[in-house]
Amino acid sequence: MPQASENSKNSEKVCVLIIEEKADLRTFFMGVLTKTGNYEVKNAASPVEALEILGKEANTIQIILFNWNMKEMPGHVFSQKIKNEVNYDHIELVVCSAAFSPQDSFLMSEIDIYYTMPKVVNASEFLLKMEEVRSEFKNTQAISAKLKDLKHLIHESDIKSIDTLFSNSDVEKEITNNSKYTYLGGEVRILKKKYEEAVDFLKNHLDKNRENKQNENLKTLSTLGKALCLVGKFEEASMIYEKLESKSPNNLGHKIMLGDALLGLDDINGAENKFNEVLNKDPSNTGALVGMMKSNSVNGNFDQAKSFFEKIEGNFESKSLASFFNNRGVALVKKGKVEEAILFYENALQFFDKFKAHVYFNLGMAYYRSGNISSAVSCFQAAMAQDTKLLEEKNILKELREKGVEKFTADYNENLKSRKK
């Protein structure tokens, strides 16, 4: 029986990583938390040290307590590094500061930081706040916990699990009725490639809820901008991101998305300026490095694109990134620049692993249209080997499989001769 009681107590524990540059404050925080028996505590003297710990132990850490005004790396940069990493999205952030500016508050709302406290706190106030965080973190039945799960599933592009989660009507109701979470409805639609539906859903919500708190609408606007880019409405998207950037200039994501919108408008220099603004603040920022990789690829600077690719750490692949390269190549083909499209796709292959099949398929289609049927077939075969699901989506792959290479090639050549006559 005592053993069961001990197990129950351990199950209520959470692991906190404390980041504080001043040794006396670290000792204070650690002492208060450790005495309760409700916390396992790790500590770091700097954000860089904290990132090293997270790189090894992220799955064990549940809460990070840190100073917003750190010298080595500002809190607004550190927090976005954490929030942008899928392996860290289970972690709750608690921020200490003597004061927060309106820009700080906008950013924290946008990236889902819900807990703040004054820099100078007494033990009882500090513990009260931390117990609030711990209690809510452990309440896995709360709707907030389910929405946190949804965010993770969106990061993971796990549509099947998302559909299962939506079988709980409370989740959809919260997204529909609570402006704080509306953007998640847009993100799910984007993930399912329902881009126009995402645009309509988000615009309708913004029209109906103009009186809601502005910082909540910033997140909805941000997702709307993403959806607009995906339907090719880059001018409208760039206007949204310019507005967001002026309102919340410390949100590096706005600069990256504005860069993407400018890329869609073929303003390569403008896009690179935005990506470089981010890299000046955070040299290892994945989104900005990917942006530079894209802009240099579009410009035909493939060696330079590869140099940015080699700087990227961790997982960066996404359906939207694969779509960017695929759509760019398709646009070249439509303009009759088939050879340019082939070169573009061939260089894009080096940037992908998970989504390489889609690039192989589009490269195959470019070869197919150029009259190089042997290369087209090789690419189609590589695409099917990488991802068998493409057979369900692409009729030309079904035809290749059913006819076999020889008949598929012979039929192509015969059709080509007929067209020339």
Side-chain angles (χ1 to χ4, degrees), residues 80-258:
Q80 289 177 82
K81 289 181 82 68
I82 300 301
K83 289 292 185 176
N84 290 335
E85 171 54 60
V86 65
N87 293 326
Y88 302 162
D89 65 6
H90 64 284
I91 299 174
E92 204 68 67
L93 301 185
V94 183
V95 185
C96 296
S97 178
F100 295 104
S101 70
Q103 291 179 355
D104 293 333
S105 298
F106 280 133
L107 175 63
M108 286 188 284
S109 174
E110 289 180 289
I111 63 174
D112 298 326
I113 295 179
Y114 305 121
Y115 304 103
T116 63
M117 67 176 72
K119 182 66 186 290
V120 180
V121 295
N122 61 46
S124 60
E125 290 174 343
F126 170 64
L127 188 56
L128 188 65
K129 173 59 73 174
M130 293 303 294
E131 280 295 288
E132 176 192 344
V133 180
R134 185 181 71 87
S135 175
E136 292 191 14
F137 189 92
K138 300 302 289 186
N139 185 7
T140 56
Q141 298 307 308
I143 189 66
S144 58
K146 290 180 171 57
L147 291 167
K148 181 180 280 189
D149 287 343
L150 176 58
K151 292 173 199 174
H152 179 75
L153 295 173
I154 290 170
H155 278 162
E156 291 287 307
S157 301
D158 189 343
I159 293 175
K160 186 176 180 180
S161 296
I162 287 171
D163 287 340
T164 300
L165 190 60
F166 268 93
S167 64
N168 181 326
S169 60
D170 290 341
V171 173
E172 190 162 7
K173 188 184 297 182
E174 190 73 7
I175 288 171
T176 303
N177 298 331
N178 189 338
S179 295
K180 184 177 180 179
Y181 299 116
T182 299
Y183 78 99
L184 290 172
E187 293 287 358
V188 170
R189 286 166 172 81
I190 288 171
L191 186 60
K192 293 183 175 182
K193 297 184 178 180
K194 298 178 179 179
Y195 306 134
E196 293 284 2
E197 187 179 318
V199 170
D200 291 341
F201 172 78
L202 296 166
K203 281 187 173 181
N204 288 339
H205 183 86
L206 287 167
D207 288 341
K208 291 176 183 177
N209 295 273
R210 293 190 181 281
E211 303 304 316
N212 282 349
K213 288 192 296 183
Q214 198 169 6
N215 56 347
E216 290 176 358
N217 281 341
L218 292 182
K219 295 180 74 169
T220 306
L221 275 171
S222 181
T223 305
L224 174 59
K226 184 192 296 187
L228 288 166
C229 280
L230 290 166
V231 296
K233 297 181 180 179
F234 299 110
E235 185 71 40
E236 193 176 346
S238 67
M239 290 172 65
I240 285 175
Y241 281 108
E242 285 170 358
K243 177 181 178 180
L244 289 170
E245 188 183 23
S246 66
K247 196 72 179 176
S248 185
N250 286 333
N251 190 328
L252 303 181
H254 295 332
K255 297 180 189 296
I256 292 168
M257 290 304 293
L258 177 54

Side-chain angles (χ1 to χ4, degrees), residues 254-305:
H254 295 332
K255 297 180 189 296
I256 292 168
M257 290 304 293
L258 177 54
D260 280 343
L262 293 171
L263 267 183
L265 294 168
D266 288 324
D267 182 357
I268 309 300
N269 289 336
E272 291 194 345
N273 285 339
K274 287 299 161 188
F275 299 141
N276 278 319
E277 280 183 43
V278 175
L279 292 173
N280 286 337
K281 291 188 174 186
D282 179 12
S284 63
N285 185 283
T286 297
L289 290 170
V290 169
M292 293 299 286
M293 185 180 85
K294 290 191 290 189
S295 66
N296 279 280
S297 294
V298 169
N299 249 356
N301 301 325
F302 297 115
D303 288 341
Q304 190 69 15

Side-chain angles (χ1 to χ4, degrees), residues 232-383:
K233 297 181 180 179
F234 299 110
E235 185 71 40
E236 193 176 346
S238 67
M239 290 172 65
I240 285 175
Y241 281 108
E242 285 170 358
K243 177 181 178 180
L244 289 170
E245 188 183 23
S246 66
K247 196 72 179 176
S248 185
N250 286 333
N251 190 328
L252 303 181
H254 295 332
K255 297 180 189 296
I256 292 168
M257 290 304 293
L258 177 54
D260 280 343
L262 293 171
L263 267 183
L265 294 168
D266 288 324
D267 182 357
I268 309 300
N269 289 336
E272 291 194 345
N273 285 339
K274 287 299 161 188
F275 299 141
N276 278 319
E277 280 183 43
V278 175
L279 292 173
N280 286 337
K281 291 188 174 186
D282 179 12
S284 63
N285 185 283
T286 297
L289 290 170
V290 169
M292 293 299 286
M293 185 180 85
K294 290 191 290 189
S295 66
N296 279 280
S297 294
V298 169
N299 249 356
N301 301 325
F302 297 115
D303 288 341
Q304 190 69 15
K306 186 177 180 182
S307 73
F308 284 104
F309 168 70
E310 289 171 346
K311 294 177 183 178
I312 299 172
E313 297 177 358
N315 179 37
F316 70 94
E317 287 191 51
S318 66
K319 285 187 177 179
S320 61
L321 179 61
S323 294
F324 171 84
F325 278 95
N326 289 335
N327 292 340
R328 276 282 172 171
V330 168
L332 288 171
V333 171
K334 286 180 177 178
K335 291 176 183 177
K337 300 178 179 180
V338 180
E339 293 304 320
E340 285 186 38
I342 288 171
L343 182 61
F344 183 79
Y345 284 133
E346 285 178 340
N347 280 276
L349 284 171
Q350 66 188 313
F351 304 140
F352 291 96
D353 182 19
K354 185 177 178 181
F355 295 102
K356 185 171 283 188
H358 296 273
V359 183
Y360 264 126
F361 175 77
N362 281 278
L363 175 58
M365 289 303 300
Y367 275 125
Y368 188 88
R369 290 185 171 90
S370 75
N372 188 340
I373 188 61
S374 61
S375 293
V377 167
S378 295
C379 290
F380 291 153
Q381 289 174 323

